[in-house]
Amino acid sequence: MSVYVFGDSHGHYLFARAQAATAYCMPGHTMHRAGRDGVQHLLASIKPAPGDDYIFVFGEIDVRRHLIRVANEKGWTYQQAVTDLADRYIAALRASLDGREHRPRVSLLEIVPPLDPPRGAHAEQPYGPLRDRLVVWYLLNEALKSRAREAGFGFIRIPKIYRARDASLKRHYSDGYAHIAKDCTEPFVRAVEKALGVDLSFRPLARRRHLLRSVMRQIAVVNDDWPALWSLGESLID
């Protein structure tokens, strides 16, 4: 019985301190690509065993960079763009999982909320205003939740502690760009453990070190110091 995580870079960030979860994630891998090509290439190195958990983590990049653009180019509403993507994605997951020797318990992870990174913080700025990305994010999560239920998959929510009042990702829990910081993931991991009834062997930072990094992150947010926030969010220290 093992827990495997498949998806984009968020899988590495969110489960970085969960020793009992093994991540097979590709930075930049979109839900669109998973829906087009399937996920067999990610599953290929796994030998299925009874009782395995597969967690799929896709969609944040689609929300941040692609769905609004696709809707505009095709003359679709946001709902139409989201429906097309979610349908293709779920169909591809089902096709990739069919015929495996042991059928795993499958869970889809709610998409991490969007935020506005500082200008110049990264080569790829988000496409569209935050308010529109929040609409697309909400619609896609609702579509995934509904289709997960129909397919017999679980759907795991990101705890609301990570959301600001407008539902965007709180910057002081982030790397300033798109991810929940690696040292801020304990509430998330505990939520996954509760949802699945498993122990992911989370490694918390020493309390003093955790408090120090929290203070440093707040200072970086106040100063709009993206390099410091990125470094704090990306680094994994013990």
Side-chain angles (χ1 to χ4, degrees):
M1 297 173 60
S2 302
V3 177
Y4 298 106
V5 181
F6 306 97
D8 56 25
S9 57
H10 290 272
H12 284 303
Y13 273 76
L14 291 167
F15 292 91
R17 305 196 69 83
Q19 297 179 97
T22 304
Y24 291 87
C25 299
M26 299 174 62
H29 202 111
T30 62
M31 185 179 290
H32 164 73
R33 179 177 171 184
R36 182 192 65 196
D37 302 337
V39 294
Q40 287 286 12
H41 58 296
L42 293 175
L43 306 179
S45 57
I46 304 298
K47 184 177 181 180
D52 283 351
D53 274 293
Y54 287 10
I55 302 173
F56 290 93
V57 186
F58 290 103
E60 185 279 325
I61 303 168
D62 302 84
V63 169
R64 173 164 41 94
R65 293 286 302 165
H66 301 301
L67 276 167
I68 295 174
R69 175 184 55 79
V70 168
N72 290 341
E73 290 176 355
K74 295 192 174 184
W76 287 353
T77 65
Y78 291 160
Q79 183 66 68
Q80 288 173 312
V82 162
T83 298
D84 172 74
L85 177 60
D87 285 346
R88 289 188 291 106
Y89 174 57
I90 296 298
L93 288 187
R94 297 180 75 166
S96 295
L97 292 164
D98 283 348
R100 292 186 72 77
E101 183 180 356
H102 299 286
R103 186 64 181 256
R105 178 171 57 167
V106 177
S107 299
L108 309 185
L109 187 64
E110 184 181 36
I111 300 164
V112 171
L115 81 165
D116 270 343
R119 283 286 162 186
H122 197 279
E124 292 187 349
Q125 287 288 317
Y127 187 100
L130 178 60
R131 64 179 182 275
D132 286 25
R133 282 181 280 124
L134 283 166
V135 170
V136 170
W137 166 79
Y138 172 80
L139 292 174
L140 185 53
N141 277 324
E142 289 301 299
L144 292 177
K145 181 177 69 173
S146 172
R147 286 155 181 77
R149 183 174 58 249
E150 294 169 359
F153 299 161
F155 185 77
I156 303 174
R157 291 285 192 183
I158 300 286
K160 290 184 178 180
I161 188 175
Y162 294 105
R163 297 187 202 173
R165 289 186 178 182
D166 63 356
S168 65
L169 180 60
K170 290 180 179 177
R171 184 162 292 179
H172 67 273
Y173 282 138
S174 77
D175 64 353
Y177 172 51
H179 306 91
I180 293 174
K182 291 178 180 178
D183 64 321
C184 293
T185 57
E186 183 167 7
F188 162 78
V189 173
R190 299 306 183 200
V192 175
E193 289 179 328
K194 182 177 180 181
L196 299 182
V198 299
D199 179 4
L200 294 178
S201 300
F202 182 81
R203 294 181 297 121
L205 285 176
R207 180 171 175 77
R208 185 174 299 178
R209 182 167 291 184
H210 178 74
L211 290 173
L212 176 61
R213 287 173 67 84
S214 296
V215 170
M216 293 171 66
R217 182 172 284 108
Q218 291 285 9
I219 293 173
V221 169
V222 169
N223 292 332
D224 204 21
D225 187 348
W226 181 83
L229 198 58
W230 170 265
S231 178
L232 286 165
E234 185 184 36
S235 63
L236 182 63
I237 60 173
D238 297 309

